[in-house]
Coordinates of all heavy atoms in Angstrom, one line a residue:
M22 N 17.2 -12.6 -4.8 CA 15.9 -12.1 -5.3 C 15.5 -10.9 -4.3 O 15.4 -11.2 -3.1 CB 14.9 -13.2 -5.3 CG 13.5 -12.8 -5.3 SD 12.5 -12.8 -6.8 CE 12.5 -14.5 -7.3
P23 N 15.3 -9.7 -4.9 CA 14.9 -8.6 -4.0 C 13.5 -8.8 -3.4 O 12.6 -9.4 -4.1 CB 15.0 -7.4 -4.9 CG 14.9 -7.9 -6.2 CD 15.3 -9.3 -6.2
K24 N 13.3 -8.3 -2.3 CA 11.9 -8.3 -1.7 C 11.6 -6.9 -1.3 O 12.5 -6.1 -1.1 CB 11.9 -9.2 -0.5 CG 11.8 -10.7 -0.8 CD 11.6 -11.5 0.5 CE 11.7 -13.0 0.3 NZ 10.5 -13.5 -0.3
F25 N 10.3 -6.6 -1.3 CA 9.8 -5.3 -1.0 C 8.9 -5.3 0.1 O 8.0 -6.2 0.2 CB 9.2 -4.6 -2.2 CG 10.1 -4.5 -3.4 CD1 10.3 -5.5 -4.3 CD2 10.9 -3.3 -3.5 CE1 11.2 -5.4 -5.4 CE2 11.8 -3.2 -4.6 CZ 11.9 -4.2 -5.5
K26 N 9.0 -4.3 1.0 CA 8.1 -4.2 2.2 C 7.1 -3.1 1.8 O 7.6 -2.0 1.4 CB 8.9 -3.9 3.4 CG 8.1 -3.9 4.7 CD 9.0 -4.0 5.9 CE 8.3 -4.4 7.1 NZ 7.7 -3.2 7.8
V27 N 5.9 -3.3 2.0 CA 4.8 -2.3 1.6 C 4.0 -2.0 2.9 O 3.5 -3.0 3.5 CB 3.9 -2.9 0.5 CG1 2.9 -1.8 0.1 CG2 4.7 -3.4 -0.7
E28 N 3.9 -0.8 3.2 CA 3.2 -0.4 4.5 C 2.2 0.8 4.2 O 2.6 1.6 3.3 CB 4.2 0.1 5.5 CG 4.8 -0.9 6.3 CD 5.8 -0.3 7.3 OE1 6.8 0.3 6.8 OE2 5.6 -0.4 8.5
V29 N 1.1 0.9 4.9 CA 0.3 2.0 4.9 C 0.4 2.7 6.2 O 0.2 2.1 7.3 CB -1.2 1.6 4.6 CG1 -2.1 2.8 4.8 CG2 -1.4 1.0 3.2
D30 N 0.7 4.0 6.2 CA 0.7 4.8 7.4 C -0.8 5.1 7.7 O -1.4 6.0 7.1 CB 1.6 6.0 7.2 CG 1.7 6.9 8.5 OD1 0.7 6.8 9.3 OD2 2.7 7.6 8.6
K31 N -1.3 4.4 8.7 CA -2.8 4.6 9.0 C -3.1 6.0 9.5 O -4.2 6.4 9.5 CB -3.2 3.6 10.1 CG -2.9 2.1 9.7 CD -4.0 1.5 8.9 CE -3.5 0.2 8.4 NZ -4.5 -0.7 8.0
V32 N -2.1 6.7 10.1 CA -2.3 8.0 10.6 C -2.5 9.0 9.4 O -3.4 9.8 9.4 CB -1.2 8.5 11.5 CG1 -1.4 9.9 12.0 CG2 -1.0 7.5 12.7
K33 N -1.7 8.8 8.4 CA -1.7 9.7 7.2 C -2.9 9.4 6.3 O -3.5 10.2 5.6 CB -0.4 9.6 6.5 CG 0.7 10.4 7.0 CD 1.8 10.3 6.0 CE 3.1 11.0 6.5 NZ 4.2 10.8 5.5
C34 N -3.2 8.1 6.1 CA -4.2 7.7 5.2 C -5.6 8.3 5.5 O -6.1 8.4 6.6 CB -4.4 6.1 5.2 SG -5.7 5.5 4.2
I35 N -6.1 8.9 4.4 CA -7.5 9.6 4.5 C -8.6 8.7 3.9 O -9.7 9.2 3.7 CB -7.4 11.0 3.9 CG1 -6.9 10.9 2.4 CG2 -6.6 11.9 4.7 CD1 -7.1 12.2 1.6
G36 N -8.2 7.5 3.5 CA -9.2 6.6 2.9 C -9.7 7.0 1.6 O -10.9 6.7 1.2
C37 N -8.9 7.6 0.8 CA -9.4 8.0 -0.5 C -9.6 6.8 -1.5 O -10.3 7.0 -2.5 CB -8.5 9.1 -1.2 SG -7.0 8.4 -2.0
G38 N -8.9 5.7 -1.3 CA -9.1 4.6 -2.1 C -8.4 4.5 -3.4 O -8.5 3.6 -4.2
A39 N -7.5 5.5 -3.7 CA -6.8 5.5 -4.9 C -5.8 4.3 -5.0 O -5.6 3.8 -6.1 CB -5.9 6.8 -5.1
C40 N -5.2 3.9 -3.9 CA -4.3 2.8 -4.0 C -5.0 1.5 -4.4 O -4.5 0.7 -5.1 CB -3.6 2.6 -2.6 SG -4.7 2.5 -1.2
V41 N -6.3 1.3 -3.9 CA -7.0 0.1 -4.2 C -7.4 0.1 -5.7 O -7.3 -0.9 -6.3 CB -8.3 0.1 -3.3 CG1 -9.1 -1.2 -3.6 CG2 -8.0 0.0 -1.8
A42 N -7.7 1.3 -6.2 CA -8.1 1.4 -7.6 C -6.9 1.1 -8.5 O -6.9 0.5 -9.5 CB -8.6 2.8 -7.9
Q43 N -5.7 1.6 -8.0 CA -4.5 1.5 -8.8 C -3.9 0.0 -8.7 O -3.3 -0.5 -9.6 CB -3.4 2.5 -8.3 CG -2.1 2.6 -9.1 CD -2.3 3.2 -10.4 OE1 -3.2 4.0 -10.7 NE2 -1.6 2.8 -11.5
C44 N -4.0 -0.6 -7.5 CA -3.3 -1.8 -7.3 C -4.2 -2.7 -6.4 O -3.9 -3.1 -5.2 CB -2.0 -1.5 -6.5 SG -0.9 -2.9 -6.4
P45 N -5.3 -3.2 -7.0 CA -6.2 -4.1 -6.2 C -5.6 -5.4 -5.8 O -6.0 -6.1 -4.9 CB -7.4 -4.3 -7.1 CG -6.9 -3.9 -8.5 CD -5.8 -3.0 -8.4
D46 N -4.5 -5.8 -6.5 CA -3.8 -7.0 -6.1 C -3.3 -7.0 -4.7 O -3.2 -8.0 -4.1 CB -2.5 -7.2 -7.0 CG -3.0 -7.7 -8.4 OD1 -4.2 -8.0 -8.6 OD2 -2.1 -7.9 -9.3
N47 N -2.9 -5.8 -4.2 CA -2.2 -5.8 -2.9 C -2.8 -4.8 -1.9 O -2.3 -4.7 -0.8 CB -0.7 -5.5 -3.0 CG 0.0 -6.1 -1.9 OD1 -0.4 -7.1 -1.3 ND2 1.1 -5.6 -1.5
F48 N -3.9 -4.0 -2.4 CA -4.5 -3.1 -1.4 C -6.0 -3.4 -1.3 O -6.6 -3.7 -2.3 CB -4.3 -1.7 -1.8 CG -2.8 -1.2 -1.7 CD1 -1.9 -1.5 -2.7 CD2 -2.3 -0.6 -0.6 CE1 -0.6 -1.1 -2.6 CE2 -1.0 -0.2 -0.4 CZ -0.1 -0.5 -1.5
E49 N -6.5 -3.2 -0.1 CA -7.9 -3.3 0.1 C -8.3 -2.3 1.2 O -7.4 -1.9 1.9 CB -8.4 -4.7 0.4 CG -7.8 -5.2 1.7 CD -8.1 -6.7 1.9 OE1 -8.8 -7.3 1.1 OE2 -7.6 -7.3 2.9
M50 N -9.6 -2.0 1.3 CA -10.0 -1.1 2.3 C -10.4 -1.9 3.5 O -10.9 -3.0 3.4 CB -11.2 -0.2 1.9 CG -10.9 0.7 0.7 SD -9.4 1.7 0.8 CE -9.8 2.9 2.1
E51 N -10.1 -1.4 4.7 CA -10.5 -2.1 5.9 C -12.0 -2.0 6.1 O -12.6 -1.0 5.8 CB -9.8 -1.4 7.1 CG -8.4 -1.8 7.3 CD -7.8 -1.2 8.5 OE1 -8.4 -0.3 9.1 OE2 -6.8 -1.7 8.9
S52 N -12.5 -3.1 6.5 CA -13.9 -3.0 6.8 C -14.1 -2.6 8.3 O -13.1 -2.9 9.1 CB -14.6 -4.4 6.6 OG -13.8 -5.4 7.3
G53 N -15.1 -1.9 8.7 CA -15.2 -1.5 10.1 C -15.2 0.0 10.2 O -15.4 0.7 9.2
A54 N -15.0 0.5 11.4 CA -15.2 1.9 11.6 C -14.2 2.7 10.9 O -14.5 3.8 10.4 CB -15.1 2.1 13.1
E55 N -13.0 2.2 10.8 CA -11.9 3.0 10.3 C -11.8 2.7 8.8 O -11.4 1.6 8.4 CB -10.6 2.7 10.9 CG -10.3 3.4 12.2 CD -8.8 3.7 12.4 OE1 -8.1 2.6 12.5 OE2 -8.5 4.8 12.5
Y56 N -12.1 3.7 7.9 CA -12.0 3.4 6.5 C -10.6 3.8 6.0 O -10.4 5.0 5.6 CB -13.1 4.2 5.8 CG -13.4 3.7 4.4 CD1 -13.9 2.5 4.2 CD2 -13.1 4.5 3.3 CE1 -14.2 2.0 2.9 CE2 -13.3 4.1 2.0 CZ -13.8 2.8 1.8 OH -14.1 2.3 0.5
K57 N -9.7 2.8 6.1 CA -8.3 3.1 5.7 C -7.9 1.9 4.9 O -8.4 0.8 4.9 CB -7.5 3.1 7.0 CG -8.0 4.1 8.0 CD -6.9 5.2 8.3 CE -7.5 6.3 9.1 NZ -6.6 7.4 9.4
A58 N -6.8 2.2 4.1 CA -6.3 1.2 3.3 C -5.5 0.1 4.1 O -5.0 0.4 5.1 CB -5.4 1.7 2.2
K59 N -5.4 -1.1 3.6 CA -4.7 -2.1 4.2 C -3.9 -2.9 3.2 O -4.5 -3.1 2.0 CB -5.7 -2.9 5.0 CG -5.4 -4.4 5.2 CD -6.5 -4.9 6.2 CE -7.1 -6.1 5.7 NZ -8.2 -6.7 6.4
V60 N -2.7 -3.3 3.5 CA -1.9 -4.1 2.5 C -2.3 -5.5 2.7 O -2.3 -6.1 3.8 CB -0.4 -3.8 2.8 CG1 0.4 -4.7 1.9 CG2 -0.1 -2.4 2.6
K61 N -2.5 -6.3 1.6 CA -2.8 -7.7 1.6 C -1.6 -8.5 2.0 O -1.5 -9.4 2.8 CB -3.4 -8.1 0.3 CG -4.8 -7.6 0.0 CD -5.3 -8.2 -1.3 CE -6.6 -7.5 -1.7 NZ -7.0 -8.0 -3.1
K62 N -0.5 -8.2 1.2 CA 0.8 -8.9 1.5 C 1.9 -7.9 1.8 O 2.3 -7.1 0.9 CB 1.2 -9.7 0.2 CG 0.7 -11.1 0.2 CD 1.3 -11.8 -1.0 CE 2.8 -12.3 -0.7 NZ 3.4 -13.0 -1.8
P63 N 2.3 -7.7 3.1 CA 3.3 -6.7 3.4 C 4.7 -6.9 2.8 O 5.5 -6.0 2.7 CB 3.3 -6.8 4.9 CG 2.4 -7.8 5.4 CD 1.8 -8.5 4.2
V64 N 5.0 -8.1 2.5 CA 6.3 -8.4 1.9 C 6.1 -9.1 0.5 O 5.4 -10.2 0.5 CB 7.2 -9.3 2.8 CG1 8.6 -9.6 2.1 CG2 7.5 -8.6 4.1
V65 N 6.5 -8.5 -0.6 CA 6.3 -9.1 -1.9 C 7.6 -9.3 -2.6 O 8.6 -8.5 -2.4 CB 5.4 -8.1 -2.7 CG1 4.0 -8.1 -2.2 CG2 5.9 -6.7 -2.9
D66 N 7.7 -10.2 -3.5 CA 8.9 -10.5 -4.3 C 9.1 -9.5 -5.4 O 10.1 -9.1 -5.8 CB 8.9 -11.9 -4.9 CG 9.0 -12.9 -3.8 OD1 9.6 -12.7 -2.8 OD2 8.5 -14.1 -4.0
N67 N 7.9 -9.1 -6.0 CA 7.9 -8.2 -7.1 C 7.2 -6.9 -6.7 O 6.1 -7.0 -6.2 CB 7.3 -8.9 -8.4 CG 8.1 -10.0 -8.8 OD1 9.2 -9.9 -9.2 ND2 7.4 -11.2 -8.8
I68 N 7.7 -5.8 -7.1 CA 7.1 -4.6 -6.7 C 5.7 -4.3 -7.4 O 4.9 -3.8 -6.8 CB 8.1 -3.4 -6.9 CG1 7.6 -2.2 -6.2 CG2 8.3 -3.1 -8.3 CD1 8.7 -1.1 -5.9
G69 N 5.7 -4.9 -8.6 CA 4.4 -4.8 -9.4 C 3.8 -3.4 -9.3 O 4.5 -2.5 -9.6
C70 N 2.5 -3.3 -9.0 CA 1.8 -2.0 -9.0 C 1.9 -1.3 -7.7 O 1.4 -0.3 -7.5 CB 0.4 -2.2 -9.3 SG -0.5 -3.5 -8.3
N71 N 2.7 -1.8 -6.7 CA 2.8 -1.2 -5.4 C 3.4 0.2 -5.4 O 3.0 1.1 -4.7 CB 3.6 -2.1 -4.5 CG 2.8 -3.3 -4.0 OD1 1.9 -3.2 -3.2 ND2 3.2 -4.5 -4.6
Q72 N 4.4 0.3 -6.3 CA 5.0 1.6 -6.4 C 4.1 2.7 -7.0 O 4.0 3.8 -6.6 CB 6.3 1.6 -7.3 CG 7.1 2.9 -7.3 CD 7.6 3.3 -5.9 OE1 8.2 2.6 -5.2 NE2 7.2 4.5 -5.5
E73 N 3.3 2.2 -8.0 CA 2.3 3.2 -8.6 C 1.3 3.6 -7.6 O 0.9 4.7 -7.5 CB 1.6 2.5 -9.7 CG 2.5 2.4 -11.0 CD 2.5 1.1 -11.7 OE1 1.4 0.5 -12.0 OE2 3.6 0.6 -11.9
A74 N 0.9 2.6 -6.7 CA 0.0 3.0 -5.7 C 0.6 4.0 -4.7 O -0.1 5.0 -4.3 CB -0.5 1.7 -4.9
A75 N 1.8 3.8 -4.4 CA 2.5 4.7 -3.5 C 2.6 6.1 -4.2 O 2.4 7.1 -3.5 CB 3.9 4.3 -3.1
D76 N 2.9 6.1 -5.5 CA 3.0 7.4 -6.2 C 1.6 8.2 -6.3 O 1.6 9.4 -6.3 CB 3.5 7.2 -7.6 CG 5.0 6.7 -7.6 OD1 5.6 6.8 -6.5 OD2 5.5 6.2 -8.6
I77 N 0.6 7.4 -6.4 CA -0.7 8.0 -6.6 C -1.4 8.5 -5.3 O -2.3 9.3 -5.3 CB -1.6 7.1 -7.4 CG1 -2.6 7.8 -8.3 CG2 -2.4 6.1 -6.5 CD1 -3.4 7.0 -9.2
C78 N -0.9 8.0 -4.2 CA -1.6 8.4 -2.9 C -1.4 9.8 -2.7 O -0.2 10.4 -2.7 CB -0.9 7.6 -1.7 SG -1.6 8.1 -0.1
P79 N -2.5 10.6 -2.4 CA -2.4 12.0 -2.3 C -1.7 12.5 -1.0 O -1.3 13.7 -1.0 CB -3.9 12.5 -2.4 CG -4.7 11.3 -1.9 CD -3.9 10.1 -2.4
V80 N -1.6 11.7 0.0 CA -1.0 12.1 1.2 C 0.3 11.3 1.5 O 0.7 11.3 2.7 CB -2.0 12.0 2.4 CG1 -3.1 13.0 2.2 CG2 -2.6 10.6 2.5
Q81 N 0.8 10.7 0.5 CA 2.0 9.9 0.7 C 2.0 8.9 1.9 O 2.9 8.9 2.7 CB 3.3 10.8 0.8 CG 3.7 11.5 -0.5 CD 3.0 12.7 -0.8 OE1 2.8 13.6 0.1 NE2 2.4 12.9 -1.9
A82 N 0.9 8.2 2.0 CA 0.8 7.3 3.2 C 1.3 5.9 2.9 O 1.4 5.1 3.9 CB -0.7 7.2 3.6
I83 N 1.8 5.7 1.7 CA 2.2 4.3 1.3 C 3.7 4.3 1.3 O 4.4 5.2 0.6 CB 1.6 3.8 0.0 CG1 0.1 3.8 0.2 CG2 2.2 2.4 -0.3 CD1 -0.6 3.5 -1.1
I84 N 4.4 3.5 2.0 CA 5.8 3.4 2.1 C 6.3 2.1 1.4 O 5.7 1.0 1.9 CB 6.3 3.4 3.5 CG1 5.7 4.7 4.2 CG2 7.9 3.5 3.6 CD1 5.1 4.4 5.5
V85 N 7.1 2.1 0.4 CA 7.6 0.9 -0.2 C 9.1 0.9 0.0 O 9.8 1.9 -0.3 CB 7.3 1.0 -1.8 CG1 7.9 -0.3 -2.4 CG2 5.8 0.9 -2.0
K86 N 9.6 -0.1 0.6 CA 11.1 -0.2 0.9 C 11.6 -1.5 0.3 O 11.0 -2.5 0.4 CB 11.3 -0.3 2.4 CG 11.2 1.0 3.1 CD 11.7 0.8 4.5 CE 11.0 1.9 5.4 NZ 10.7 1.3 6.7
K87 N 12.8 -1.4 -0.2 CA 13.5 -2.6 -0.8 C 14.1 -3.2 0.4 O 14.8 -2.6 1.3 CB 14.5 -2.1 -1.8 CG 15.0 -3.2 -2.6 CD 15.9 -2.7 -3.7 CE 16.5 -3.9 -4.5 NZ 17.5 -3.5 -5.4
L88 N 14.0 -4.5 0.6 CA 14.6 -5.2 1.7 C 15.9 -5.8 1.3 O 16.2 -6.1 0.2 CB 13.7 -6.4 2.2 CG 12.3 -5.9 2.8 CD1 11.5 -7.1 3.1 CD2 12.5 -5.0 4.0
Ligands
F3S121 FE1 -5.2 5.8 2.0 FE2 -3.5 6.8 0.2 FE3 -4.8 4.6 -0.2 S1 -5.0 8.0 1.4 S2 -6.7 4.7 0.8 S3 -3.3 5.0 1.4 S4 -4.3 6.1 -1.7

């Protein structure tokens, strides 16, 4: 069974929130001073909406890798 690793590059992320809108199942915004996206589950069995979130990010801050 394939697994996927999902990461947010915090340096690139500008906190636009598109990933959360596209894929609330696996993305949320960090609370606190840094308004950046955070992955809820970094390793998932099904890619689900994670790829769409990566595609929609305006600064390509989301990395999805097949493990
Ligand atoms: Fe950041 Fe891209 Fe999401 S800029 S908030 S990772 S859509």
Side-chain angles (χ1 to χ4, degrees):
M22 158 106 61
K24 283 187 184 282
F25 298 89
K26 189 165 192 274
V27 185
E28 276 178 297
V29 172
D30 182 332
K31 305 269 172 164
V32 176
K33 281 190 183 171
C34 175
I35 54 168
C37 81
C40 54
V41 179
Q43 185 71 31
C44 192
D46 283 356
N47 207 29
F48 291 85
E49 63 190 355
M50 298 313 288
E51 280 184 343
S52 50
E55 278 210 299
Y56 197 66
K57 306 240 171 183
K59 149 171 131 186
V60 177
K61 293 182 186 174
K62 268 188 80 184
V64 177
V65 293
D66 291 334
N67 295 304
I68 195 159
C70 54
N71 289 286
Q72 186 61 54
E73 284 133 51
D76 292 344
I77 211 173
C78 175
V80 292
Q81 286 86 47
I83 299 169
I84 307 128
V85 177
K86 277 190 210 143
K87 199 171 172 193
L88 297 178

